Amino acid sequence: MQISQKQLEQVNDRIKALVNAGSFYGKKLEAAGITEVKTAEDFLKLPFSEKKDLRDAYPLGLMTAPEEEIVRIHSSSGTTGKPVIIPYTAKDVDDWGEMFKRCYEVAGITNKDRIHITPGYGLWTAGIGFQNGCEKLGAMAIPMGPGNTEKQLEMMQSMKSTVLCSTSSYALLLAEEIEKRGIKDKIHLKKGVIGSERWSKKMRDRIAESLGIELYDIYGLTEIYGPGIGINCEHNTGMHYWDDYLYLEIIDPKTGEPVPDGEQGEIVITTLVKEGAPLIRYRTHDLSRIIPGECPCGRSYPRLDTIMGRTDDMMKIKGVNVFPSQIEEILGSFKEISSEYQIRISHLDGKDTMRIYVESTGDVDFAALSKRITDKVKSVIGFTPIVKVVEIGVLPRSMKKTARVIDERYDEK
Ligand code: ZN
């Protein structure tokens, strides 16, 4: 997906703003002697930006518009080190709302819908992003925020919510609760807009089937507005993203070189019109690919495949590189197990060991099933895991992101 002339002009405009403001990337460009890009080749010479740069700019080093134009900040929670602070102008907030509104529209959601929003409100971009888009669309927002499942289900029934916005883990938890209580006929949900974590086809099918709803994947990250920069359409052939606001590249995470459309790599994003904190060639560490060709829906927005994982999710076990998504895919081929699993990696007696916990119902032979899964992992990935089958419901469900991979090697002496 080569950068267009119009996009190049927009990038030039952003470069000017960054240099004038003396923000972190402006200084980086100045140091590299770059004041403009004329061609697609020039663009590829622009230095990448990284989360670390954003952290180093804490608190307001990213601010590129005059302070009197900044109307709000958001922050991504750092699990390590300082958080990242992203300043927004009124236009940024408005643009984000437009993008989010477009997401809802692509999902066939209208101003007659009642949108039940469970992601968190606050410094995060989650809840407020879903809300902003909902209000722009003219739909009715039910701003629940996370937690309190009892209250969620009560409101869902009395408000007759038609759209559920949540993480996949929380959607699963709600689906299971609704089943357990036998209140499915009192629930009016038609669609789910699910964001912020990688999820398997199996989990998707389970939620869709259990709630009887259509599901849409939404993409986004705090550094780049927030959720709402792309969503899949009714044909479910990847997420359309908004190339009038963003330019996306897929690169080889090791070499930094662009890969051809269709090949998997790391998503790199350039914001084309952002004012408060424009980002140029920002490395997301999310893995996906551009889907070549046209979507049967006829929309001209390019498509990004489902997020396959993160470059930093890669686990090295017994010298073999493994992505959680590979294990997930293997587990997905076993009908006898649920969508939930847990991987624990430890270091025992000088050896790396991987234990995989899966859930099944009591009417299958746990030992035989465990042997079959072990053999399959061995044949696909090349090493032998220890597979433990447990009863359904034993593995943790969570309201936010479920930790499925636990690397214990660094906790041990
Ligand atoms: Zn489409």
Side-chain angles (χ1 to χ4, degrees):
M1 191 67 34
Q2 213 190 35
I3 190 160
S4 71
Q5 199 52 43
K6 166 135 200 245
Q7 288 172 324
L8 276 174
E9 279 162 26
Q10 291 172 314
V11 170
N12 270 327
D13 195 52
R14 293 303 83 208
I15 287 178
K16 236 179 263 162
L18 286 160
V19 173
N20 287 342
S23 58
F24 96 96
Y25 198 85
K27 288 188 190 128
K28 213 165 167 172
L29 288 169
E30 250 184 341
I34 299 170
T35 52
E36 123 179 278
V37 287
K38 288 203 181 79
T39 63
E41 290 73 44
D42 291 347
F43 179 81
L44 293 177
K45 289 184 195 127
L46 291 172
F48 290 115
S49 43
E50 286 274 2
K51 186 119 180 186
K52 184 184 174 300
D53 299 320
L54 274 52
R55 272 199 198 109
D56 291 347
Y58 182 89
L60 279 172
L62 295 178
M63 193 161 73
T64 302
E67 171 146 7
E68 56 272 30
E69 289 175 21
I70 301 297
V71 299
R72 132 184 358 162
I73 60 126
H74 280 292
S75 163
S76 69
S77 53
T79 42
T80 50
K82 287 177 197 148
V84 169
I85 306 278
I86 308 285
Y88 294 65
T89 63
K91 179 176 181 294
D92 294 338
V93 172
D94 195 59
D95 285 351
W96 180 22
E98 281 299 327
M99 283 190 271
F100 217 125
K101 174 179 169 226
R102 207 183 272 174
C103 288
Y104 283 135
E105 285 168 344
V106 168
I109 296 164
T110 72
N111 58 9
K112 296 219 175 72
D113 277 295
R114 297 180 179 183
I115 306 185
H116 194 98
I117 303 169
T118 71
Y121 286 76
L123 279 173
W124 301 344
T125 50
I128 203 165
F130 282 92
Q131 171 104 15
N132 195 7
C134 171
E135 288 177 0
K136 268 230 183 298
L137 182 69
M140 187 196 293
I142 306 164
M144 298 299 299
N148 199 346
T149 302
E150 203 65 46
K151 181 92 186 162
Q152 299 275 5
L153 295 176
E154 196 187 298
M155 284 295 273
M156 207 177 267
Q157 294 173 74
S158 25
M159 292 309 302
K160 299 189 167 59
S161 312
T162 57
V163 177
L164 171 67
C165 301
S166 83
T167 61
S168 55
S169 316
Y170 197 43
L172 178 67
L173 190 147
L174 288 170
E176 289 182 340
E177 280 302 315
I178 289 167
E179 261 181 8
K180 217 184 279 173
R181 294 162 195 229
I183 51 170
K184 199 176 159 188
D185 57 333
K186 296 196 181 86
I187 299 292
H188 296 78
L189 293 176
K190 291 192 197 77
K191 290 168 194 221
V193 179
I194 309 292
S196 90
E197 61 183 337
R198 183 175 56 79
W199 52 326
S200 66
K201 186 177 176 299
K202 192 161 194 165
M203 185 166 181
R204 190 192 177 90
D205 293 347
R206 166 98 174 87
I207 298 167
E209 208 175 287
S210 157
L211 291 174
I213 60 175
E214 275 169 33
L215 295 174
Y216 293 85
D217 269 307
I218 201 157
Y219 182 58
L221 52 163
T222 301
E223 296 85 341
I224 313 284
Y225 297 100
I229 64 177
I231 193 166
N232 62 285
C233 70
E234 66 278 18
H235 293 279
N236 205 4
T237 55
M239 300 178 280
H240 287 284
Y241 64 86
W242 320 130
D243 61 346
D244 43 351
Y245 292 94
L246 306 160
Y247 176 65
L248 264 67
E249 301 168 79
I250 305 288
I251 62 160
D252 177 328
K254 287 207 185 74
T255 64
E257 293 297 321
V259 302
D261 287 355
E263 257 177 51
Q264 198 181 312
E266 179 181 341
I267 306 169
V268 173
I269 305 181
T270 297
T271 64
L272 297 171
V273 292
K274 209 162 184 243
E275 298 176 334
L279 287 180
I280 307 271
R281 303 195 84 199
Y282 180 65
R283 295 189 63 158
T284 64
H285 292 277
D286 283 335
L287 294 169
S288 184
R289 63 188 191 108
I290 299 279
I291 298 179
E294 271 165 36
C295 182
C297 76
R299 290 183 184 91
S300 61
Y301 297 111
R303 285 169 300 158
L304 190 64
D305 205 348
T306 314
I307 307 303
M308 318 292 285
R310 296 193 38 87
T311 56
D312 32 7
D313 280 346
M314 198 172 74
M315 312 172 275
K316 200 162 185 157
I317 303 153
K318 295 181 185 172
V320 183
N321 287 335
V322 187
F323 282 103
S325 53
Q326 290 175 288
I327 306 271
E328 194 170 277
E329 209 169 289
I330 297 170
L331 297 179
S333 66
F334 288 87
K335 292 207 169 53
E336 305 89 329
I337 59 179
S338 78
S339 59
E340 296 308 288
Y341 65 93
Q342 197 178 77
I343 299 172
R344 282 180 178 267
I345 304 155
S346 43
H347 194 76
L348 290 171
D349 305 324
K351 273 195 310 193
D352 287 341
T353 342
M354 177 192 270
R355 277 170 293 160
I356 304 173
Y357 294 87
V358 296
E359 294 180 337
S360 189
T361 51
D363 47 8
V364 302
D365 180 344
F366 281 14
L369 177 60
S370 142
K371 167 97 177 51
R372 279 191 293 130
I373 298 173
T374 306
D375 292 347
K376 184 89 180 268
V377 173
K378 165 97 172 92
S379 75
V380 178
I381 311 221
F383 63 79
T384 312
I386 300 163
V387 177
K388 295 232 160 81
V389 185
V390 299
E391 287 279 345
I392 284 209
V394 167
L395 294 177
R397 266 80 170 149
S398 84
M399 302 209 185
K400 289 196 235 151
K401 299 183 188 186
T402 305
R404 295 205 166 86
V405 181
I406 298 156
D407 198 334
E408 300 166 325
R409 286 178 294 188
Y410 308 107
D411 298 338
E412 292 163 14
K413 295 268 150 58

